[in-house]
Amino acid sequence: MNIMSESNEPSRKITVMKDGPYVVSGRVPLVKENIVSEGGISIGWEKMEEHPERKTYALCRCGQTGTPPYCNGSHASAGFNGTETADRAPFSKRCKVLEGPSLTLYDRQDICARTGHCQQRTGAWTLVKHSDEADKREEAIGVVNSCPSGRLVVRDKETGEALEMPLEKEIAVIQHPHRGVSGPLWVRGGISIVSADGEQYETRNRVTLCRCGASKVKPFCDGSHINVGFRDGSLGKK
Ligand code: FES
């Protein structure tokens, strides 16, 4: 298990445009992934498609595009207000802490994408509480790392090491079939995200960016796509 490595590809970057799209530069791979579920519980991910490689591209942030996941300029006619309202304090300053016997769980609820992966097994919180048992500890680490939003982070209690599974630098366009909605953009591997005012967000191994336009913590997803029943072209119209 490794701590997320420092970026050695500084050109891979996402820039939030004022009331517009995400401009992605540095040949960041773009894939489509579906949430896999069993009995109503999200248990994993399935890669469905790889989008053609592009040096630079713009991804829709307003939810109105006719060419998902790419921007087609609809934000202008829709009068999209993309004001970035996310709390910019570092993750560690805004999370609740749950101490288990061998693991510490950090939980920041405002950026939860509500994919439900944390409910696997007996749930991340219960698993951490029983992390003195080797199998529960491993399950807790796996469950936490399947959370795309980075709401949950687990650290070894003794060493303080963040137990993050290494992820390739890429973006996954999420679909959530068993909820009948399209989800956010899962940004993996520590890609830099720069706000429209030029400030860089904390670089993290796992974050999700809103692409429905309804989040209250833009540019991050807060699960509002479920409330508004967001469906892009891949899921068809209701
Ligand atoms: S995509 Fe999740 S809140 Fe917009």
Side-chain angles (χ1 to χ4, degrees), residues 67-220:
T67 57
Y70 301 105
C71 170
N72 72 348
S74 293
H75 53 274
S77 52
F80 174 56
N81 178 354
T83 303
E84 293 164 77
T85 48
D87 185 332
R88 299 193 189 189
F91 174 80
S92 60
K93 302 284 185 209
R94 290 287 184 270
C95 48
K96 290 184 180 167
V97 179
L98 172 67
E99 300 282 0
S102 84
L103 295 173
T104 305
L105 183 67
Y106 297 80
D107 179 0
R108 183 168 162 180
Q109 203 169 352
D110 64 327
I111 54 168
C112 177
R114 293 168 63 192
T115 66
H117 289 83
C118 57
Q119 302 299 332
Q120 293 173 81
R121 314 290 178 179
T122 51
W125 298 265
T126 303
L127 290 168
V128 166
K129 283 179 188 166
H130 293 91
S131 57
D132 49 343
E133 300 169 41
D135 57 335
K136 298 284 191 304
R137 176 184 159 99
E138 284 312 302
E139 284 181 3
I141 295 167
V143 167
V144 165
N145 275 273
S146 66
C147 159
S149 68
R151 165 185 170 171
L152 299 176
V153 170
V154 75
R155 289 181 181 269
D156 182 274
K157 192 164 178 176
E158 201 173 306
T159 65
E161 178 190 14
L163 302 172
E164 284 288 306
M165 291 178 183
L167 295 171
E168 295 293 322
K169 281 186 167 54
E170 63 182 0
I171 299 172
V173 181
I174 293 176
Q175 303 290 346
H176 198 156
H178 76 273
R179 296 294 295 260
V181 295
S182 299
L185 301 168
W186 182 6
V187 179
R188 304 194 282 233
I191 299 172
S192 298
I193 301 172
V194 179
S195 73
D197 63 18
E199 187 179 336
Q200 185 167 326
Y201 288 94
E202 181 180 21
T203 300
R204 304 187 62 214
N205 193 30
R206 297 172 280 126
V207 294
T208 44
L209 292 175
C210 174
R211 67 182 182 107
C212 74
S215 173
K216 295 179 180 63
V217 293
K218 294 184 183 73
F220 301 107

Side-chain angles (χ1 to χ4, degrees), residues 11-28:
S11 60
R12 289 193 167 178
K13 186 171 81 170
I14 299 171
T15 305
V16 182
M17 306 306 290
K18 181 174 165 35
D19 300 329
Y22 302 107
V23 173
V24 183
S25 54
R27 294 192 191 283
V28 179

Side-chain angles (χ1 to χ4, degrees), residues 47-73:
K47 186 178 284 189
M48 307 301 291
E49 183 184 339
E50 291 184 13
H51 290 272
E53 182 184 289
R54 295 187 187 189
K55 187 176 174 188
T56 302
Y57 50 90
L59 295 176
C60 175
R61 180 163 90 92
C62 70
Q64 302 295 317
T65 183
T67 57
Y70 301 105
C71 170
N72 72 348

Side-chain angles (χ1 to χ4, degrees), residues 32-35 45 113-115 173-184 211-212 221 223-236 238:
K32 175 183 166 188
E33 285 190 10
N34 283 6
I35 294 173
W45 299 92
R114 293 168 63 192
T115 66
V173 181
I174 293 176
Q175 303 290 346
H176 198 156
H178 76 273
R179 296 294 295 260
V181 295
S182 299
R211 67 182 182 107
C212 74
C221 169
S224 292
H225 58 272
I226 294 174
N227 301 346
V228 301
F230 173 56
R231 296 166 70 89
D232 72 8
S234 303
L235 275 173
K238 268 185 176 172

